[in-house]
Amino acid sequence: MLGYIFRRLFRGLITLIIAVSITFLILRLMPGDPTTIMLDPRMNEAARQRLLKEFGLTKPLFTQYLLYFKQLLKGDLGYSFIYKTPVSEVILSRLPWTLLLMGLTQIVTMFIGIPLGVFAGYRKGSAWDQLINAFTIFGISVFIPWLGITLLYFFGYRIPIFPIGGAYTPGLNGTELYLNVIKHLVLPVLTLTLIYLANYVLYMRASMVDVLSEDYIRTARAKGANENKVLWKHAVKNALIPTVTMAGLLIGRMVSGAVLTETIFSYPGVGRMIYEAVGQQDYPILQGAFLILALSVIIMNIITDLLYAFLDPRVKLD
Amino acid sequence: MKKIAFLVVLGLLVSLFATSGLVFAQEEAKFGGTLNIGITTDPDSLNPFISNDRIGSWILNNIYPTLLVMNQDSVKVPYVAEEIITSENGKKVTVKLKEGLTWQDGTPFTSADVKFTGELLYEKKLQWQADVFNEVESVETPDATTVVYNLKRSYPGFMGTFGFWQRIVPKHIFEDIENVREFANKEPIGMGPFKLVDFKRGQYYTLARVDEWFDSPAGKPYLEKIIFRIYPDVNTMVLALKRGEIDLTAKDIPFTAAQELKSNPNFTVKQTPSLGFVYIGFNYKNEFLKDDAVRQAIATAIDRKKIIMFALRGDGKLINTGISPVYGDVVNPEAKLPQYNPEQAAEILSNSGYEDTDGNGILNAPSGKDVVLELIYDGNDIYLKKTAQILVTNFQDVGLKLELVPLEKSTYSDLLFNQKKFDINLGGWGIIDEASDSMYTLYHSTASLNFMSLNSEKLDTYMEDARFASNQKIMQENLDEFQLEFIEEMPVVTLYVQQYNFAYSNDFAGFEIYPSDLKGLVDPQSLSQVYKK
């Protein structure tokens, strides 16, 4: 077991190095450089060259790459071109909000999605099954900004029960602040839940359909176990295993949703930070953000694998 | 005689009413209240040297002073400077400062602060405006409220650039900072109508009023607090305004939102022109565009009024020379772009040997080639997109083919700035001030922003002579000549000056609108007199 974890960590490290290198290269392959975005008649060529030098972009690409790795080994994520502050400081101020938003979305999606999937799979082909399918397909196909703006228009403006933007209203304290934070979370979590629900529902449904045709289910029924027990103890427990894998992988995909959702809801998370940094070609911020993302996906994968082995005794890690 | 007496009495009555109205309006203004302002993102920095974006200006200009500000007519006027005196030969610029001002920690504001700010700016090359100090020979501070700049040669753009763009910093704080470039300045001590009291990156910036401010009618701002809140999406920001989460947009709002808010009795929409302009630029390296006749014909073929009417839905001003009408005094009224006249444009082309010899509907150049040109522009800009479509028809009407190449902004900038690979570009400049300086940085044959590869000896001479003219008169004479020659040369066709819309809640009053999205309604001159009704 320990040997396995060690091997997985080693492989994770290699993946991380590759991911970081690709990010580094892709950013520099983008047309132009951060100063061309700032094109301004007030900035002459000398000022532009000074900026490029300050950003470390006048050095050869390979030197920049080596310097970046050297800096990373020291635990230094660099210095934001735009905000002129350490990248780690910018990311740390944003990360808790994204973790809160994503964590809550995962929980809500799981608690709604899994039972819905179980139900649809159990009643395969019924009108309920078709309705659930249609609903989740709508969620997966909808354009996030449209959904966000529509929700904001109805529940933020027409029936003003939820706030329009931000993580909380400035100037509040204590319980009032906590309640306010929750109020601000409702619409973004709802948006993300509608979008990611399909992942759980469809996976769980397909998995249930498979499991329900297994011999051990027939055996359980033949033994005279009541239907609820068959469903929840024998079927759901086994059908959950592939869903767990999917949940781990979903983390990576959720980031793309976070970029758009956090922007529409003015939520101060990492997703919105990425959106802003792309527009301004802030390489260090983007490198830092993708490093954190790659790291979290790798860690989630390892956790998922371990969990998988725990849930399915047939899987041997070594 | 009776008539005169009647007019005098009428005049007195009118002025009496006007004054009583004024008294009434002033009585209405009271202290207190929080104004929430919508912004799109964080300021790039809270360091007054380093910040160089719009959001930074909106926040920091309310905390740190500049020697000059722009008035509502786009003229730079003294702010914390009392007056600026330029010697006859233009080589000595004396700045007299307002007396009795203090920094927010109580330290008096003196000429030493102003001198120090310039020195630090230049020594560390902290910002683009540092370069104007290349022309400074020495700086003297004969007394606590006088700074004298001795220039190497006369340089009319010097004070307009340094005085308007450089926020003055307190010497006693900044002289102790080791690395100014990396100084985050999280607890700024400035001198302005407001001070920063709290901020959370990505969320909000809270400013509180100071106890004394010379520019506020009541001696200090009416508003107790202003909070800048971030809404990255402008549609969400408009929704937040309608909902009452914010009371004002610092960012300009789209036309449709402005129309809707205009008809809503709870809001007021104010309009102000950009300090820049939108244009199409010709690449002289292109075989067709290097021909004077083609550039003149295109300028004559473009229906700029139609562009303003349809692409901007009326929210634009015509611009007739290379200099925006916003700077009315500098514009030469005799220099005028050709009127829209497709027949005349076609005639110019045909007189120069352009004819459709192969009958495919596109004119052939004397070399026999079809005149097909590509137009590059930022495809995400809705106004440019619509403008480009009108240009296609305008070109077509005179037998020229214009192919649209919408690009992502960084690709567009790269093609233009680094590769200079384009036929015609459609783009805009955000802020063009100090015409004597900026014309030089845009159109001089040695300027890096001269992507067109324009090389005109005549224009170069006018620009050089205007840039270093010993007095305003000589500068203006050269700018006048420059504008006339610019129309003859036609390196770019200036299309329009956009009008920006800003909206605020009628729960507040006292706003004044200043030019462009750099200032708008959040200029310190405006915010220092806004009050909650």
Side-chain angles (χ1 to χ4, degrees):
Chain A
M1 178 78 171
L2 260 176
Y4 172 80
I5 295 179
F6 185 75
R7 277 204 308 280
R8 277 300 265 127
L9 283 176
F10 181 72
R11 256 168 52 202
L13 187 70
I14 303 280
T15 317
L16 188 68
I17 292 173
I18 295 172
V20 164
S21 307
I22 292 176
T23 312
F24 180 90
L25 205 66
I26 282 183
L27 288 176
R28 277 152 186 85
L29 285 177
M30 271 159 70
D33 58 61
T35 56
T36 43
I37 293 278
M38 301 173 188
L39 265 186
D40 190 316
R42 293 171 291 137
M43 183 159 59
N44 60 25
E45 188 55 23
R48 179 173 172 252
Q49 288 303 331
R50 277 204 301 271
L51 265 183
L52 281 173
K53 199 169 167 215
E54 187 191 319
F55 293 162
L57 295 174
T58 43
K59 297 190 182 88
L61 193 63
F62 192 64
T63 318
Q64 287 182 43
Y65 180 70
L66 289 181
L67 284 173
Y68 176 55
F69 260 92
K70 200 173 141 194
Q71 188 188 305
L72 278 185
L73 286 177
K74 285 192 258 171
D76 181 1
L77 291 178
Y79 213 73
S80 157
F81 291 166
I82 303 299
Y83 298 125
K84 323 280 190 303
T85 29
V87 170
S88 51
E89 194 185 310
V90 182
I91 293 185
L92 278 179
S93 69
R94 301 292 192 99
L95 198 60
W97 295 110
T98 297
L99 289 179
L100 180 66
L101 186 64
M102 291 296 132
L104 207 61
T105 305
Q106 271 281 16
I107 294 169
V108 174
T109 319
M110 212 146 59
F111 272 85
I112 302 175
I114 292 176
L116 272 183
V118 169
F119 184 71
Y122 188 64
R123 296 280 178 88
K124 186 186 148 199
S126 71
W128 277 111
D129 176 32
Q130 283 173 12
L131 191 72
I132 291 171
N133 266 331
F135 180 68
T136 49
I137 297 288
F138 166 78
I140 218 168
S141 350
V142 80
F143 183 49
I144 300 182
W146 176 84
L147 181 63
I149 285 279
T150 310
L151 285 175
L152 274 179
Y153 181 76
F154 284 107
F155 300 108
Y157 175 59
R158 280 279 148 208
I159 315 161
I161 38 179
F162 294 113
I164 302 287
Y168 58 89
T169 312
L172 297 176
N173 290 308
T175 330
E176 221 183 344
L177 175 66
Y178 288 115
L179 285 174
N180 195 263
V181 168
I182 294 170
K183 257 182 138 178
H184 278 83
L185 271 168
V186 176
L187 293 182
V189 168
L190 182 62
T191 307
L192 285 170
T193 304
L194 285 173
I195 284 156
Y196 292 112
L197 199 59
N199 291 290
Y200 280 97
V201 175
L202 299 181
Y203 249 83
M204 203 58 206
R205 181 187 174 278
S207 180
M208 273 301 280
V209 171
D210 280 351
V211 169
L212 283 172
S213 63
E214 292 281 347
D215 289 346
Y216 58 82
I217 297 293
R218 205 176 44 212
T219 314
R221 280 181 178 147
K223 272 195 320 192
N226 79 31
E227 195 57 20
N228 255 336
K229 200 172 168 190
V230 171
L231 182 65
W232 294 102
K233 196 173 166 202
H234 297 273
V236 173
K237 212 171 151 191
N238 285 300
L240 263 177
I241 296 170
T243 312
V244 167
T245 322
M246 190 273 311
L249 297 174
L250 194 60
I251 297 279
R253 255 195 291 159
M254 280 183 119
V255 173
S256 60
V259 171
L260 295 169
T261 311
E262 289 182 355
T263 304
I264 292 297
F265 290 97
S266 321
Y267 211 74
V270 175
R272 200 184 94 199
M273 183 190 76
I274 293 174
Y275 168 84
E276 289 164 353
V278 169
Q280 295 165 316
Q281 297 206 358
D282 196 334
Y283 300 163
I285 289 272
L286 291 169
Q287 283 166 185
F290 288 114
L291 177 90
I292 301 284
L293 289 177
L295 198 64
S296 52
V297 170
I298 290 167
I299 293 174
M300 273 317 288
N301 273 343
I302 297 177
I303 295 178
T304 312
D305 280 0
L306 295 177
L307 208 62
Y308 198 78
F310 173 75
L311 286 173
D312 188 346
R314 288 171 300 182
V315 177
K316 291 274 179 289
L317 288 179
D318 291 315
Chain B
M1 191 65 194
K2 259 187 188 171
K3 247 186 190 169
I4 294 173
F6 174 74
L7 282 176
V8 169
V9 172
L10 189 73
L12 279 174
L13 277 174
V14 167
S15 56
L16 194 68
F17 272 115
T19 355
S20 65
L22 201 67
V23 170
F24 180 67
Q26 274 177 358
E27 272 169 5
E28 211 184 356
K30 54 180 192 273
F31 289 100
T34 301
L35 179 77
N36 285 284
I37 303 173
I39 54 177
T40 42
T41 181
D42 287 282
D44 50 358
S45 172
L46 288 173
N47 181 335
F49 278 112
I50 300 302
S51 173
N52 187 32
D53 67 1
R54 300 268 197 286
I55 298 106
S57 286
W58 298 337
I59 298 175
L60 286 173
N61 287 358
N62 280 288
I63 305 175
Y64 287 95
T66 46
L67 294 173
L68 309 177
V69 283
M70 199 173 263
N71 69 14
Q72 290 175 293
D73 300 321
S74 312
V75 178
K76 290 172 183 170
V77 291
Y79 191 48
V80 293
E82 184 68 44
E83 66 173 323
I84 312 280
I85 306 148
T86 307
S87 69
E88 232 169 80
N89 64 5
K91 286 169 74 175
K92 186 170 158 186
V93 180
T94 308
V95 182
K96 291 263 179 211
L97 301 175
K98 283 205 165 59
E99 288 187 24
L101 297 179
T102 55
W103 293 99
Q104 285 161 1
D105 62 357
T107 313
F109 164 69
T110 68
S111 52
D113 295 312
V114 179
K115 179 172 186 254
F116 170 79
T117 303
E119 282 170 350
L120 191 63
L121 170 76
Y122 186 54
E123 192 187 311
K124 307 259 184 215
K125 296 278 188 287
L126 293 169
Q127 200 51 267
W128 60 270
Q129 62 262 29
D131 292 327
V132 297
F133 277 86
N134 288 335
E135 300 296 329
V136 175
E137 181 87 55
S138 64
V139 187
E140 294 157 35
T141 49
D143 61 57
T145 52
T146 311
V147 194
V148 181
Y149 293 94
N150 297 305
L151 307 181
K152 289 176 189 161
R153 52 181 162 172
S154 75
Y155 182 24
F158 170 69
M159 196 34 73
T161 302
F162 176 67
F164 179 69
W165 289 102
Q166 182 56 50
R167 303 172 193 101
I168 307 298
V169 301
K171 182 181 180 211
H172 64 285
I173 303 223
F174 276 77
E175 67 186 349
D176 295 332
I177 289 155
E178 216 167 280
N179 188 348
V180 185
R181 202 176 282 280
E182 294 187 3
F183 177 51
N185 197 27
K186 288 178 184 165
E187 290 166 5
I189 291 181
M191 185 178 76
F194 296 93
K195 58 186 175 201
L196 184 75
V197 289
D198 184 22
F199 76 94
K200 285 274 178 299
R201 191 186 291 281
Q203 301 186 61
Y204 62 85
Y205 291 77
T206 305
L207 274 56
R209 72 156 169 247
V210 297
D211 295 331
E212 210 182 325
W213 188 241
F214 74 90
D215 203 35
S216 292
K220 63 175 177 182
Y222 294 113
L223 294 168
E224 199 176 314
K225 270 185 194 169
I226 50 180
I227 306 178
F228 290 90
R229 295 179 65 175
I230 302 177
Y231 296 86
D233 181 84
V234 73
N235 296 310
T236 316
M237 192 192 285
V238 171
L239 217 50
L241 177 73
K242 291 200 291 192
R243 162 78 187 267
E245 238 171 63
I246 52 170
D247 310 298
L248 161 71
T249 58
K251 157 108 185 115
D252 58 299
I253 55 169
F255 173 82
T256 38
Q259 284 307 97
E260 191 199 337
L261 288 169
K262 264 182 207 164
S263 58
N264 187 328
N266 300 325
F267 298 98
T268 302
V269 176
K270 291 258 185 191
Q271 212 173 47
T272 191
S274 157
L275 287 173
F277 54 79
V278 169
Y279 66 94
I280 56 167
F282 302 121
N283 190 346
Y284 278 64
K285 297 251 165 79
N286 179 284
E287 56 177 315
F288 310 122
L289 294 169
K290 69 180 176 200
D291 185 345
D292 294 350
V294 175
R295 296 194 309 277
Q296 285 294 342
I298 291 175
T300 316
I302 295 175
D303 190 351
R304 297 181 300 139
K305 280 186 187 151
K306 186 173 171 188
I307 291 175
I308 292 175
M309 194 62 81
F310 291 100
L312 277 82
R313 305 215 212 172
D315 283 349
K317 276 185 174 189
L318 270 180
I319 168 168
N320 273 317
T321 79
I323 299 172
S324 165
V326 171
Y327 303 108
D329 299 346
V330 192
V331 174
N332 180 359
E334 284 165 31
K336 277 208 174 1
L337 278 174
Q339 292 279 327
Y340 167 60
N341 189 339
E343 290 82 23
Q344 197 188 330
E347 203 181 306
I348 298 174
L349 287 169
S350 105
N351 289 345
S352 305
Y354 289 80
E355 268 173 66
D356 184 8
T357 47
D358 51 11
N360 66 353
I362 304 167
L363 290 181
N364 296 80
S367 65
K369 284 187 192 163
D370 278 342
V371 184
V372 180
L373 297 158
E374 278 186 355
L375 180 78
I376 61 163
Y377 58 99
D378 172 8
N380 288 321
D381 187 314
I382 181 86
Y383 300 112
L384 295 185
K385 214 160 121 182
K386 289 182 183 168
T387 304
Q389 282 155 1
I390 296 173
L391 289 175
V392 172
T393 345
N394 286 166
F395 273 60
Q396 207 173 18
D397 289 346
V398 295
L400 302 175
K401 186 163 172 63
L402 186 67
E403 289 176 345
L404 298 187
V405 187
L407 298 164
E408 189 271 323
K409 197 175 175 191
S410 46
T411 316
Y412 165 79
S413 307
D414 187 47
L415 277 182
L416 199 66
F417 195 73
N418 298 334
Q419 304 191 37
K420 299 185 169 61
K421 239 170 93 182
F422 68 101
D423 297 341
I424 306 179
N425 78 300
L426 167 64
W429 293 116
I431 296 165
I432 301 282
D433 66 332
E434 296 304 314
S436 62
D437 239 16
S438 54
M439 291 302 118
Y440 185 95
T441 40
L442 290 181
Y443 304 117
H444 194 270
S445 55
T446 60
S448 63
L449 291 180
N450 173 6
F451 338 107
M452 299 82 69
S453 307
L454 159 71
N455 192 350
S456 153
E457 251 178 65
K458 264 189 183 171
L459 283 175
D460 277 2
T461 314
Y462 292 136
M463 286 185 277
E464 287 157 15
D465 291 351
R467 194 178 197 204
F468 298 113
S470 57
N471 61 44
Q472 288 287 325
K473 192 169 164 276
I474 297 176
M475 183 189 86
Q476 190 55 49
E477 280 167 7
N478 278 292
L479 282 178
D480 282 347
E481 290 300 325
F482 165 80
Q483 292 174 72
L484 288 170
E485 180 60 25
F486 189 80
I487 304 295
E488 287 293 311
E489 180 66 42
M490 205 71 77
V492 309
V493 182
T494 46
L495 298 178
Y496 56 80
V497 172
Q498 197 176 339
Q499 296 267 27
Y500 293 120
N501 291 303
F502 301 94
Y504 63 85
S505 151
N506 287 338
D507 292 346
F508 293 84
F511 288 103
E512 277 181 355
I513 185 121
Y514 288 86
S516 94
D517 57 342
L518 177 74
K519 303 276 162 197
L521 296 165
V522 294
D523 187 89
Q525 300 170 87
S526 168
L527 290 182
S528 62
Q529 48 185 318
V530 169
Y531 58 90
K532 190 165 192 213
K533 284 185 191 165

